Amino acid sequence: MKLIIAIIKPFKLDDVREALTALGVTGMTITEVKGFGRQKGQTEIYRGAEYSTNMVPKVKVEVACDDAVADRALEAIQQAANTGSIGDGKIFMLDLGAAVRIRTGETGSVAL
Amino acid sequence: MKLIIAIIKPFKLDDVREALTALGVTGMTITEVKGFGRQKGQTEIYRGAEYSTNMVPKVKVEVACDDAVADRALEAIQQAANTGSIGDGKIFMLDLGAAVRIRTGETGSVAL
Amino acid sequence: MKLIIAIIKPFKLDDVREALTALGVTGMTITEVKGFGRQKGQTEIYRGAEYSTNMVPKVKVEVACDDAVADRALEAIQQAANTGSIGDGKIFMLDLGAAVRIRTGETGSVAL
Amino acid sequence: MTKFTTWIAGAATLLATAPALAQTGPIKAPSAEQMASMVDKGDTTWMLISSALVLLMSIPALALFYGGLVRTKNMLSLLMQVFMIVSIAALVWVSWGYSLSFTSGSPYIGGFSKLFLQGVDATTLAATFSNNVYIPEYAFIAFQMTFACITPALIVGAFAERIKFTPLMLFVVAWLTIVYFPIAHMVWYWSGPDFLPDTPTDTGLLWGMGALDFAGGTVVHINAGIAGLVGCLMIGKRIGYGREATPPHSLTMTMIGASLLWVGWFGFNAGSNLEANGLAALAFVNTFVATAAAAVSWAIVEQIHHGRPSLLGAVTGAVAGLVAITPASGFAAPMTAILLGLAVSPICYLFVAVVKNKLKYDDTLDVFGVHCVGGIVGAIGTAIVADPALGGQGFLDYTVFPAVAGTYDMAGQLVTQIKAVALTLLWSGLGSAVLFFVLDKIFGLRPSEDAEREGLDLSSHGERAYNY
Amino acid sequence: MTKFTTWIAGAATLLATAPALAQTGPIKAPSAEQMASMVDKGDTTWMLISSALVLLMSIPALALFYGGLVRTKNMLSLLMQVFMIVSIAALVWVSWGYSLSFTSGSPYIGGFSKLFLQGVDATTLAATFSNNVYIPEYAFIAFQMTFACITPALIVGAFAERIKFTPLMLFVVAWLTIVYFPIAHMVWYWSGPDFLPDTPTDTGLLWGMGALDFAGGTVVHINAGIAGLVGCLMIGKRIGYGREATPPHSLTMTMIGASLLWVGWFGFNAGSNLEANGLAALAFVNTFVATAAAAVSWAIVEQIHHGRPSLLGAVTGAVAGLVAITPASGFAAPMTAILLGLAVSPICYLFVAVVKNKLKYDDTLDVFGVHCVGGIVGAIGTAIVADPALGGQGFLDYTVFPAVAGTYDMAGQLVTQIKAVALTLLWSGLGSAVLFFVLDKIFGLRPSEDAEREGLDLSSHGERAYNY
Amino acid sequence: MTKFTTWIAGAATLLATAPALAQTGPIKAPSAEQMASMVDKGDTTWMLISSALVLLMSIPALALFYGGLVRTKNMLSLLMQVFMIVSIAALVWVSWGYSLSFTSGSPYIGGFSKLFLQGVDATTLAATFSNNVYIPEYAFIAFQMTFACITPALIVGAFAERIKFTPLMLFVVAWLTIVYFPIAHMVWYWSGPDFLPDTPTDTGLLWGMGALDFAGGTVVHINAGIAGLVGCLMIGKRIGYGREATPPHSLTMTMIGASLLWVGWFGFNAGSNLEANGLAALAFVNTFVATAAAAVSWAIVEQIHHGRPSLLGAVTGAVAGLVAITPASGFAAPMTAILLGLAVSPICYLFVAVVKNKLKYDDTLDVFGVHCVGGIVGAIGTAIVADPALGGQGFLDYTVFPAVAGTYDMAGQLVTQIKAVALTLLWSGLGSAVLFFVLDKIFGLRPSEDAEREGLDLSSHGERAYNY
Ligand SMILES: Nc1ncnc2c1ncn2[C@@H]1O[C@H](COP(=O)(O)OP(=O)(O)O)[C@@H](O)[C@H]1O
Ligand SMILES: Nc1ncnc2c1ncn2[C@@H]1O[C@H](COP(=O)(O)OP(=O)(O)O)[C@@H](O)[C@H]1O
Ligand SMILES: Nc1ncnc2c1ncn2[C@@H]1O[C@H](COP(=O)(O)OP(=O)(O)O)[C@@H](O)[C@H]1O
């Protein structure tokens, strides 16, 4: 099993979710995060004081999935989240040691 | 060492924390997240426009622990967070390569 | 590749970012989290009801980096985030299986 | 200066500003035409703006004060409850409330002569507390309407986070009818200063007994406070009470609410004078300084008890001060108003921070501890601060024409005040208990456990207060 | 009671409060010196505080009502738009708006005699609706200024989340000039009750036709509502319209806004009486209960349609009720005001929840569905509720001196009201379309796609509403 | 029209509305009984509602305006500071403030004759600016109380995010006593228009010099602004100043605050006329349009300097405009008020966005840059706009009875205004410095570094503003 972590532009969330659903991945967890990267944030000025934070609002999508789907999921996210402009984000993949469904106590891929 | 990531119902946080404390795990990190899954979110209607988000507020608990405790921690969380109804959440476990306590610079299990 | 997760005190974020930038790590993702640990949170009293939450606001920094930089990054964070007082936080390191830059589809270390 | 000369001078003002009367002296039982010449537009303006200020107290002030104190998931439900209670109470008021409260009937309740405001029009007038001074009846109706709107809204704080919406709305209609209108009638109804000498028994029960309640300590605060206590006992504690932390989700909103309550309360208290004169100004100053004193004294109690003062404490103290000065606002002098304010906070604090925890009733937002207890302190304190010997305004004897200052008897007044408090506690306590019981049997008052856990915002209204 | 006796009694009041006149009876076409003795400070206070209340309706009330309904990323842009529209409109008003609206000119628009307020000073006076009652002209200017401020601000809700800031500000200046001032002149301009008998044609077009609009149903709500519809059609739908969820980012703010709108609207409606008398009190009560009724009826519609009432529904209903009662507030009786309130919500609901979705125009905050539709319901309803046979106030015939009650003809009045509505829809619809078209060609009205996605807060103003 | 005729006409109004006097002409040094006939309820209403409006300016308006600009962790501390300052100042005011400010004493400070409001009751009266027009003394006390409440609250913005609570409260008590009351006495105390001719030296120092300050430019804004600057210099910069980003945590709250400040400021400025007449209406209009102009001109400066206007800029401009028009509000004409508003924003902008950054003082919320600088612009501008040659109101010579228009000398007035500004800067600057120094030595003004980092909400009050 894999844990896929994607940092994407907030307005792409719906597209990503649809793409994953199309693959049969229906569960995922979403976090609002801030990203630093090449993409420069807006310079904000408050009463003459400039704040150039280069901190940009992003959405983090975490999906646990079977090894079998993992690569396709990666690709699906990459395509759905892509706008071609800087700041589109990253996808990371980690090995998932175990998974448990709390309601039933099931473990492994059936738990996803 | 393991990193346990549990997605649970928000009102179960206190129970989970107590269960973990009982095992001697005292540190953990909490994030507010939104979950997609089988559990359907409320349909919200705003002036006639329906939004059926099926996005449900959840709490993510991250706990780093020794291999020795990991399985018991998993079980403890599963039991404490269980209500038997859909949307109870998931627990994921990853291998933790290294851990550092910032204050002292200690590493490994003593750092947890 | 490694995924470094650091839980730090919020006001140390700027220092940590500078330290990482100095190492050439320019991308990172930030989440606001709450920490439980040794550090006791403030006891809050609301109209005579005491809430001793020991929940403390923290910031989580996630950085994906090359194996080559990982140890130095770990050290840099540890030093930048250190105040010597309880609650300074933890750094965790995980193996990163894959990384993709969404904009270009590049994978591996070049994607970081 | 004695009260007597105060009123003599007051009469001088009156004569001067109503010159048509200067030749003839005050007119007993004036005709409608005569009354029409006894209206001052300054008073009309004062009553209209006071009405707007009291509406402001309900929405948004009370809604925010309460809403800020609950958890995010129940914020919207409080806003909705208060908003709809105001709306429903307004309709009930003009339909039968005004008639039941402010027409002649029995000592306990008014009659049906003004149901649906029949007989009222833009030229009919209402009496004030001065001989030969009248205001448009619609202005009086509007002003009193705002009181009927806020009182039931106060109650909901006691069982916030765990009440079903529709039964609550039905409760409000029934409670206004069998509790609020009778008590308003008992305390405030009388035939007016130009007519009472000829109809000395045409008053509500408590008015006739001589109970002093300038702006609604019994009618509004004790009344709502005890209903809240009964409600929270009958509905039971929130799930997780005492185990889960329930910190206020936005003290910012609570502070906005408290501030607007303070501002609006000038309409409530000084507006209750029904005229814009020196007495209204006195009620204004008293309202200002009693509140300030209570905020300070609550902060000091906390400083002593916990080592630091909290905002929630300060604003709770301010509200307690506002509650306590309400019945006394037109009777006290500024310095005794301050003393009343200083005194009320430690007493309410005791109930809110100690008694409640000891007795373990879950009065979510301390409606009992602040409004009922503070109201009782104020009602009893009124007997003291009204004493002309302490610089108070005493009372006017309206059975003679024109009215003269009555002989003040503090001990007797204390007994009267206590009787009025007791009657209100009983009437409202019992009436509310019956209503809660019946509505619970028929509809159920409490949402399902799941609905409560999810929060009333989503479960009752399908909305969230915030979608950031 | 007939309207006639109402006004006779009103005249009695007048005489009594203006004793200098008592000997001589009302004065036709009084001199400036005579007028100076016809001012009552109670009226002046009423107009000043009403002006403050109407400003409160724009900032913060309308800004919050609107802002709470958009996504976080556009919140600040709404606040900014409303704040700056108010500022700019105030400057335009004193520069040329007052002159174009309230001086004699053609039936369609006023003249230039008071450009930059020349000739106005602290001693000049404005007429009211009563013979021989005047208020300081500056008070009238201030009151009307607040109307000129809020009307263009209402429009922006229709195309919220997708408009460029500077072109919008230019639109406001132009729209006030070619749409608002003419319509205000047509509906509200006349030479006053002491002068009209001698100059019976010195009125705006619609005033002369006998159109009734107590506080601005046509001038403010239909006018802004149709401009909003035209704007949202010409600017086009938001990116993601119908696909992305756009839940209100803070119903808390929306509720605060709605509550303050309600409170402020007393100044708008009862202030429009220009005098603090029984009629103002009637307008106050009508405004109160029609709003309450509309909130309740919207909640009931939702209960039936969706199984539960929402806060957004309740406050939308309240605003619809406020809009509907606006033109009728000084004409209806409380019970017919309630009926008007009950009726307006289902009709607006139909437009907001059904028609809009069917026709797929993206009127972001339902400016058309609530303000235009509600305004039309109110304008037409006014013809009904004003009928003295239904307890209404009828109208006064000012062509005789002193004014007497006119003979009410409901059918005729209905036709007049419909004509006024139609003229407003046409004038504002066409005028707005031309302006939007021209400004779009010159500057572009719509921000770039990226700017819209990022949100107008950052892209137009470089700020965020919140940095928690 | 000259000032003279304005006042003649004003006198005509006066006579007509106080008919008892019509036969006899105005009465010099009237007796208490005569005075009682010189009160108009319209004025009383106006003063009471103005007082409520000014309280609204402090809570919640100023608290939100300031609170929105700090970081989340310090939000609650600002709310608490303002709320408690208002409470404490109210108590100090009625205890010794009113006496020290508004009784006869030396040119520098009043006496002790009204300590704890002794001698004041519901029948005593206060003079206005018109011969033979009085208001209830309690109304005057309430109105002035709100000024004493807001002025020290303004100061805290300068050292927001880094002050200990209890020493701050002590500072407020001391500062009111040795700075505010003397300056209020110097600028505003006089024996009134019916008595001054007989006691021409019974005035405060600056009043006697002829300094014009209609509503508190020197007493409130320059006074608080310079105290703030001294405070922020002595307390030192915030940790992380210039390195950490400190974006406003909620511009939404700041906008609500600014809007309510604007609304409330009508009470502040037009209320300062003490009467509801054409002059009050003029002050109202001036307050409206100067503010609008300043908001627009700040936005334009930003558009030029940064390419887009910000909400924070617009509301800061509005507040600068309100500050600048304050001393001039009853003296200017609308068009010169607009010019004053247009002028003040660029000047304040210079201080806020350039000078502050250059000189690197950490005036957190620009109390100096907006209130002190804006106040100075207004105080000096008053000398210009008050000139009858520019349509201004000039001044009345009260040494003759009844008062007549004085001969206006703009150059002389400018010098007087500058002297008043200088005296205020000196008195408040030095007094504040001494107080800060002493309190710092005794208690320490600054919280520990950890407490400051954690935020004052938790460290000083044990609470958070938000627990979403
Ligand atoms: N090394 C990294 N570790 C963790 N997150 C990263 C890293 N680099 C980038 N990110 C995240 O990805 C987002 C997009 O990265 P950015 O460099 O702006 O654009 P791009 O990926 O198109 O080159 C960042 O805002 C940040 O949240
Ligand atoms: N594949 C997944 N990857 C990440 N998070 C998931 C996944 N599936 C479910 N979740 C999280 O677990 C929560 C509960 O899942 P859900 O399917 O609703 O209920 P259950 O686990 O009881 O079947 C979701 O809201 C989501 O946050
Ligand atoms: N076992 C753990 N797993 C995950 N997060 C932890 C763990 N222990 C501590 N943390 C995080 O680190 C923060 C600091 O830990 P704490 O015990 O308070 O201080 P210290 O690291 O200085 O001993 C906590 O607030 C929590 O967010």
Side-chain angles (χ1 to χ4, degrees), chain D residues 1 5-10 12-13 16-17 19 40 42-43 45-46 49 53 72 133 247-253 255-256 258-260 262-263 266 270 275-282 284-285 288-289 291-293 295-296 299 303 308-315 318 333-335 338 393 466 468, chain F residues 19-20 33 36-42 44-45 47-49 51-53 55-56 58-60 63-64 75-76 79-80 82-84 86-88 90-91 94-95 116-117 121-124 136-139 141-143 145-146 149 165-166 249 253 256 260 458-468:
Chain D
M1 156 166 339
T5 56
T6 307
W7 283 94
I8 292 303
T13 316
T17 58
D40 187 295
D43 289 337
T45 298
W46 178 235
I49 187 62
L53 285 174
T72 310
V133 177
H249 92 280
S250 175
L251 286 174
T252 300
M253 289 298 155
M255 188 274 182
I256 298 177
S259 301
L260 294 181
W262 194 344
V263 170
F266 292 120
E275 271 181 273
N277 56 16
L279 263 188
L282 170 63
F284 193 109
V285 170
F288 207 132
V289 294
T291 307
V296 169
Q303 177 76 43
R308 58 190 168 197
S310 72
L311 175 67
L312 178 54
V315 298
M335 290 303 137
I338 289 177
Q393 294 293 324
Y466 311 96
Y468 282 121
Chain F
E33 290 226 332
S37 71
M38 296 167 175
V39 178
D40 187 296
K41 285 171 155 184
T44 305
T45 298
M47 293 321 295
L48 294 184
I49 187 62
S51 305
L53 285 174
L55 179 61
L56 180 82
S58 301
I59 54 166
L64 295 179
M75 169 61 164
L76 187 136
L79 301 180
M80 179 71 173
V82 173
F83 199 88
M84 290 310 294
V86 166
S87 298
I88 289 174
L91 300 179
V94 292
S95 297
F116 301 102
L117 302 189
D121 65 42
T123 67
T124 57
E137 188 168 10
Y138 277 135
I141 292 172
F143 184 64
M145 177 151 54
T146 59
C149 289
F165 181 73
T166 308
H249 91 281
M253 289 297 154
I256 298 178
L260 295 181
L458 275 171
S459 61
S460 293
H461 308 294
E463 296 167 298
R464 291 168 212 278
Y466 311 97
N467 295 284
Y468 283 122

Side-chain angles (χ1 to χ4, degrees), chain F residues 138-181:
Chain F
Y138 277 135
F140 181 70
I141 292 172
F143 184 64
Q144 282 292 339
M145 177 151 54
T146 59
F147 282 62
C149 289
I150 198 170
T151 308
L154 285 170
I155 303 174
V156 303
F159 37 76
E161 307 203 299
R162 59 181 187 291
I163 184 83
K164 288 203 318 214
F165 181 73
T166 308
L168 177 61
M169 295 301 116
L170 298 175
F171 171 79
V172 166
V173 173
W175 188 84
L176 282 169
T177 307
I178 75 162
V179 177
Y180 181 81
F181 301 147

Side-chain angles (χ1 to χ4, degrees), chain E residues 81-385:
Chain E
Q81 287 165 16
V82 173
F83 199 89
M84 290 311 294
I85 287 173
V86 165
S87 298
I88 289 174
L91 299 180
V92 170
W93 177 252
V94 292
S95 298
W96 62 86
Y98 177 61
S99 190
L100 290 186
S101 305
F102 286 104
T103 63
S104 189
S106 75
Y108 299 96
I109 191 156
F112 298 128
S113 60
K114 293 190 177 172
L115 281 188
F116 301 101
L117 301 189
Q118 67 199 36
V120 178
D121 66 41
T123 67
T124 57
L125 301 172
T128 65
F129 297 104
S130 298
N131 289 110
N132 287 357
V133 177
Y134 288 84
I135 55 174
E137 189 168 10
Y138 278 135
F140 182 70
I141 291 172
F143 184 65
Q144 283 292 340
M145 176 152 53
T146 60
F147 282 62
C149 289
I150 197 169
T151 309
L154 285 170
I155 302 174
V156 303
F159 36 77
E161 306 201 298
R162 60 182 187 289
I163 184 84
K164 286 202 321 213
F165 180 73
T166 309
L168 176 62
M169 295 302 115
L170 297 175
F171 171 79
V172 165
V173 173
W175 187 85
L176 282 169
T177 307
I178 74 162
V179 177
Y180 182 82
F181 300 147
I183 293 185
H185 182 83
M186 287 190 243
V187 177
W188 283 334
Y189 175 72
W190 64 310
S191 52
D194 298 340
F195 295 89
L196 196 76
D198 294 338
T199 56
T201 60
D202 190 9
T203 72
L205 179 73
L206 293 167
W207 203 101
M209 284 167 48
L212 299 179
D213 184 0
F214 196 76
T218 43
V219 182
V220 175
H221 296 287
I222 299 178
N223 202 356
I226 187 69
L229 180 66
V230 168
C232 87
L233 289 173
M234 293 183 67
I235 292 168
K237 296 174 194 170
R238 284 166 292 170
I239 296 172
Y241 175 70
R243 284 198 320 115
E244 281 171 44
T246 55
H249 91 281
S250 175
L251 285 174
T252 300
M253 289 298 154
T254 296
M255 188 272 181
I256 298 177
S259 300
L260 294 181
L261 279 172
W262 194 343
V263 170
W265 220 296
F266 292 120
F268 197 95
N269 284 359
S272 287
N273 189 54
L274 303 183
E275 270 181 274
N277 57 16
L279 262 189
L282 170 63
F284 194 108
V285 170
N286 284 339
T287 302
F288 207 133
V289 295
T291 308
V296 169
S297 90
W298 195 295
I300 290 173
V301 169
E302 284 192 337
Q303 177 76 43
I304 293 167
H305 194 176
H306 294 301
R308 58 189 168 198
S310 73
L311 175 67
L312 179 53
V315 299
T316 305
V319 172
L322 287 161
V323 169
I325 196 63
T326 293
S329 50
F331 298 112
M335 290 303 136
T336 52
I338 289 178
L339 295 180
L340 190 57
L342 292 176
V344 72
S345 279
I347 300 172
C348 288
Y349 185 86
L350 189 76
F351 275 82
V352 159
V354 182
V355 173
K356 183 172 77 161
N357 289 338
K358 280 272 158 56
L359 300 187
K360 295 205 183 306
Y361 54 91
D362 183 14
D363 179 1
T364 317
L365 305 177
D366 294 309
V367 177
F368 177 73
V370 173
H371 291 275
C372 195
V373 172
I376 293 172
V377 170
I380 292 173
T382 298
I384 300 166
V385 298

